[in-house]
Amino acid sequence: AQSVTQLGSHVSVSEGALVLLRCNYSSSVPPYLFWYVQYPNQGLQLLLKYTSAATLVKGINGFEAEFKKSETSFHLTKPSAHMSDAAEYFCAVSETVFGNEKLTFGTGTRLTIIP
Amino acid sequence: EAGVTQSPTHLIKTRGQQATLRCSPISGHTSVYWYQQALGLGLQFLLWYDEGEERNRGNFPPRFSGRQFPNYSSELNVNALELEDSALYLCASSSDTPNTEAFFGQGTRLTVV
């Protein structure tokens, strides 16, 4: 079985400060991991994905995430927060079991940027 | 290339009525996922269809049902609507290539009054 835990349902950072959104996963097979962003009243947009290639993954809008197997983590970071980063962020895990695919999301982290 | 499209964008229903939500996946995608995003509850997995079959179901009562058509579009039906069914319902699609990401539509906002 697979699961995702996002630590902190709300995170606030000052504009220009480091953004760190935490995600830990549980998976019985090597996982594929994703970060999505949701702006108000919109669907989810893929930020980045880990598919067993490089452990440091770079995404759109200056975000990146590092896969750490030993810590079962896939935290999302951005060196300098921008007001436009205010949104809800979802971590997701996918694993293929017996040829079928299942996508499981975390509960989300709402990021607020303080001017 | 068109993305995932959902209709209607907004839907207002009375308690006890039925709601039908529709989703057209990206061309070539065979998997469709439905999620409920209620206020304060995050993204809750509802249903997953692939190749016309229901592959997995979340922890929702049987009055939440759906189907996938031969063209891979999908319908979500919610019977006997309750006030707490008010939420944003998101549809996503993915290809049959293992572990590719899902692409999301803009959602249908269902309001039950």
Side-chain angles (χ1 to χ4, degrees):
Chain A
Q2 59 186 23
S3 66
V4 172
T5 302
Q6 290 185 242
L7 298 176
S9 58
H10 291 84
V11 171
S12 296
V13 301
S14 298
E15 189 176 14
L18 171 71
V19 175
L20 171 60
L21 304 182
R22 300 177 186 275
C23 172
N24 288 89
Y25 70 90
S26 171
S27 176
S28 56
V29 299
Y32 286 61
L33 295 157
F34 309 89
W35 274 100
Y36 286 84
V37 60
Q38 185 182 33
Y39 298 103
N41 299 313
Q42 294 189 24
L44 275 67
Q45 178 185 359
L46 181 70
L47 270 178
L48 50 80
K49 62 180 178 181
Y50 166 76
T51 56
S52 75
T55 56
L56 182 63
V57 182
K58 294 186 184 298
I60 62 172
N61 301 338
F63 284 93
E64 62 182 36
E66 186 172 9
F67 172 70
K68 291 187 177 180
K69 184 178 178 180
S70 61
E71 299 178 8
T72 61
S73 68
F74 190 58
H75 302 331
L76 182 71
T77 60
K78 182 174 180 177
S80 177
H82 192 273
M83 294 301 294
S84 60
D85 295 328
E88 188 149 21
Y89 293 79
F90 293 91
C91 182
V93 61
S94 171
E95 62 181 31
T96 300
V97 180
F98 304 118
N100 292 323
E101 189 173 344
K102 181 179 177 183
L103 189 66
T104 302
F105 283 85
T107 53
T109 297
R110 185 169 298 279
L111 177 64
T112 301
I113 310 299
I114 304 166
Chain B
E1 180 182 319
V4 177
T5 57
Q6 292 186 244
S7 62
T9 53
H10 292 83
L11 187 59
I12 300 175
K13 291 286 187 178
T14 303
R15 190 171 50 184
Q17 285 188 314
Q18 179 196 40
T20 298
L21 287 63
R22 296 179 176 83
C23 173
S24 292
I26 290 173
S27 177
H29 285 188
T30 61
S31 274
V32 170
Y33 304 83
W34 286 98
Y35 292 86
Q36 182 196 64
Q37 190 176 28
L39 194 62
L41 293 180
L43 210 60
Q44 306 285 319
F45 169 72
L46 262 168
L47 290 160
W48 166 33
Y49 291 95
D50 182 61
E51 296 284 359
E53 302 277 335
E54 182 180 302
R55 300 295 186 184
N56 204 355
R57 182 182 180 85
N59 188 25
F60 281 84
R63 58 190 186 82
F64 285 84
S65 65
R67 54 181 172 168
Q68 186 177 34
F69 298 99
N71 66 355
Y72 303 114
S73 66
S74 177
E75 237 175 42
L76 174 68
N77 295 293
V78 188
N79 295 318
L81 284 165
E82 300 178 2
L83 296 179
E84 51 266 34
D85 296 334
S86 296
L88 181 67
Y89 289 83
L90 292 170
C91 171
S93 73
S94 70
S95 73
D96 59 0
T97 302
N99 301 310
T100 55
E101 70 268 25
F103 293 83
F104 282 79
Q106 301 281 46
T108 292
R109 182 157 303 278
L110 172 63
T111 302
V112 183
V113 297

